Amino acid sequence: MKLLIASLFIAVYAISTGAIAQNATNTQASGWQQCSALSGDDTARLRCFDQWAAGQGGVQNALPNAVAANKSAAHTTPPPAKPQPAATPVVITMVAPAAHDCKNPRFSELSRFWELEAGSDCGTFGIRGYKPISLSVIGSDSVNSQPDSILPDHRATSPIAYSNTETRIQLSIRTKIAQGLLTQGQELKRDSLWFGYTQQSNWQIFSGDLSRPFRTTDHEPELIYIYPTDLNLPGDWRLSYTGLSLNHNSNGQALPLSRSWNRAILMAGMENGSQFQVTGKLWYRIPENASSDDNPEISDLIGRGEISGMWNPNLNNTFGLTVRHSLRAHANGSVKLEWLRKLNDTDGSGKPGGLQLHTQLFSGYGDSLIDYNRRRTVLSVGLSLVDW
């Protein structure tokens, strides 16, 4: 009898203790622990997480724990044979990490590059890389020794014996000058306005008999507006951004070597995971007076649009293809193939650094502005820097 009474006392004590513990955590009655326990129904578990997150102090504080718990439950529960309809999905890329970690690799390539989200926002008026900052040696099948245009006063007075081998230097930076212009009411998305500048110079460093001149230098300032579209597409693709750019491109020369044009450019970018990115541009050349147009047929030769694809099979290698087209029957334009190989840091950590081996093969019109009307095939090998 004493043993029976003792057993009953222990059972009552355990039940009362559990009740007290339950009351102590009553504020988390629909907490993530209970959500994790719903291991037999992924839909119910995700809906439970959403309901719990909505009751917390803020979405940004609630979602990381919910995502971690959901991942933990996923490791112990095999997925159903057929995906079931679910509640509003947790958008992991929209959960901002610490403010000082705006380059966190958990965000996608395009999100970090254009700072499309609250967590990938690095603020305004900081210097960012834009196009590759590179130094390379190039060899071509021909060189423009006497540049000309279809206009009579746009032909060099005499040819210069340039070498087919030269050095190319490209500098390219940008800065965000404003943000939140159209996304003020959206907590996690960030639109932005940028100013960018790119300079590309072809240096005849191997032509000692010519005093090693710069054969040509192109300047390209532009104003760019980017909007975070964030639209899901078939095949796990995501339309990450759309944008508009006002672009000026010139070589800063006087006649007869002056070449320039101004464009309004529509652009968009989409990606599939961390391995694939595709960006597209379609431009309209802003008309100029016939008396001031140095290259009236430039759109028919260089093109009216381009599409670029990048493939990152791993952290160290990137392969790229860019095609420009005139969008006319005569089909002028260009093709560019690239391979970028990241080099390891010098501190022995083995992590990929910002320095890259950059190999590029170009064929077509527009390798530089002075060559806008000359078809060239150019191979370049050099080093590029990336800081984003």
Side-chain angles (χ1 to χ4, degrees):
M1 179 62 69
K2 291 181 179 180
L3 179 61
L4 177 60
I5 293 173
S7 299
L8 289 174
F9 177 81
I10 293 171
V12 170
Y13 177 80
I15 292 172
S16 62
T17 303
I20 292 172
Q22 178 64 28
N23 289 334
T25 58
N26 193 42
T27 57
Q28 298 179 356
S30 57
W32 64 266
Q33 296 95 336
Q34 290 191 350
C35 297
S36 298
L38 299 175
S39 59
D41 189 338
D42 284 357
T43 301
R45 186 173 69 253
L46 182 56
R47 186 180 295 110
C48 177
F49 280 131
D50 289 339
Q51 292 172 353
W52 171 75
Q56 303 304 304
V59 174
Q60 291 185 2
N61 293 329
L63 282 178
N65 291 332
V67 172
N70 197 18
K71 286 183 177 179
S72 176
H75 283 304
T76 59
T77 304
K82 274 189 169 182
Q84 299 296 320
T88 303
V90 178
V91 185
I92 297 177
T93 58
M94 287 294 181
V95 181
H100 65 276
D101 194 17
C102 59
K103 297 182 181 181
N104 193 318
R106 73 190 251 130
F107 293 101
S108 69
E109 292 284 324
L110 295 182
S111 178
R112 286 185 289 127
F113 187 83
W114 289 115
E115 302 179 15
L116 303 175
E117 304 168 40
S120 59
D121 172 23
C122 292
T124 56
F125 297 106
I127 298 297
R128 323 278 202 272
Y130 185 18
K131 299 175 184 179
I133 301 174
S134 59
L135 172 64
S136 55
V137 176
I138 70 173
S140 61
D141 62 342
S142 65
V143 66
N144 204 347
S145 61
Q146 191 172 9
D148 62 358
S149 176
I150 62 172
L151 303 178
D153 57 345
H154 285 66
R155 180 179 178 83
T157 55
S158 59
I160 300 177
Y162 291 127
S163 170
N164 286 19
T165 303
E166 54 191 355
T167 299
R168 175 169 292 169
I169 303 171
Q170 180 169 282
L171 302 174
S172 187
I173 58 172
R174 65 201 162 107
T175 185
K176 189 196 303 183
I177 58 179
Q179 63 183 7
L181 302 176
L182 298 179
T183 57
Q184 293 180 358
Q186 303 184 52
E187 181 181 3
L188 299 174
K189 293 183 179 180
R190 295 288 186 271
D191 66 337
S192 51
L193 184 66
W194 300 77
F195 174 77
Y197 175 75
T198 301
Q199 178 177 303
Q200 178 182 282
S201 299
N202 286 30
W203 183 14
Q204 287 277 308
I205 194 172
F206 304 107
S207 300
D209 53 338
L210 298 178
S211 192
R212 310 183 199 281
F214 282 87
R215 182 172 66 87
T216 183
T217 296
D218 294 339
H219 308 270
E220 189 175 6
E222 56 186 319
L223 193 64
I224 312 158
Y225 173 77
I226 297 293
Y227 185 85
T229 309
D230 192 27
L231 177 65
N232 291 327
L233 300 174
D236 295 328
W237 285 90
R238 174 190 178 198
L239 181 62
S240 298
Y241 73 87
T242 52
L244 174 66
S245 169
L246 297 177
N247 180 289
H248 171 73
N249 192 196
S250 67
N251 65 354
Q253 295 290 315
L255 291 177
L257 300 180
S258 176
R259 306 288 186 266
S260 67
W261 60 336
N262 301 301
R263 294 173 291 167
I265 305 174
L266 292 174
M267 60 183 67
M270 63 180 184
E271 52 197 334
N272 189 327
S274 61
Q275 287 192 321
F276 300 99
Q277 299 90 41
V278 175
T279 60
K281 295 181 179 180
L282 185 67
W283 56 78
Y284 168 74
R285 186 189 180 189
I286 299 173
E288 300 182 30
N289 293 328
S291 60
S292 60
D293 190 350
D294 299 321
N295 27 250
E297 79 280 37
I298 190 170
S299 295
D300 290 332
L301 297 173
I302 290 183
R304 293 177 174 84
E306 73 173 31
I307 185 167
S308 298
M310 305 298 287
W311 173 42
N312 309 289
N314 51 52
L315 292 176
N316 291 319
N317 293 281
T318 300
F319 299 92
L321 170 65
T322 301
V323 178
R324 286 184 171 182
H325 199 280
S326 63
L327 305 181
R328 293 292 188 272
H330 39 71
N332 291 319
S334 62
V335 177
K336 179 171 65 177
L337 295 171
E338 295 179 274
W339 172 42
L340 294 93
R341 168 73 181 184
K342 291 185 178 179
L343 305 178
N344 287 343
D345 290 337
T346 57
D347 60 2
S349 65
K351 297 180 180 179
L355 185 64
Q356 301 181 95
L357 174 67
H358 193 169
T359 303
Q360 184 183 106
L361 178 63
F362 174 93
S363 182
Y365 293 95
D367 178 56
S368 65
L369 269 181
I370 204 67
D371 298 316
Y372 85 96
N373 58 352
R374 185 184 187 92
R375 182 182 290 276
R376 301 180 75 208
T377 298
V378 181
L379 176 65
S380 68
V381 179
L383 298 174
S384 292
L385 294 176
V386 175
D387 72 344
W388 60 274

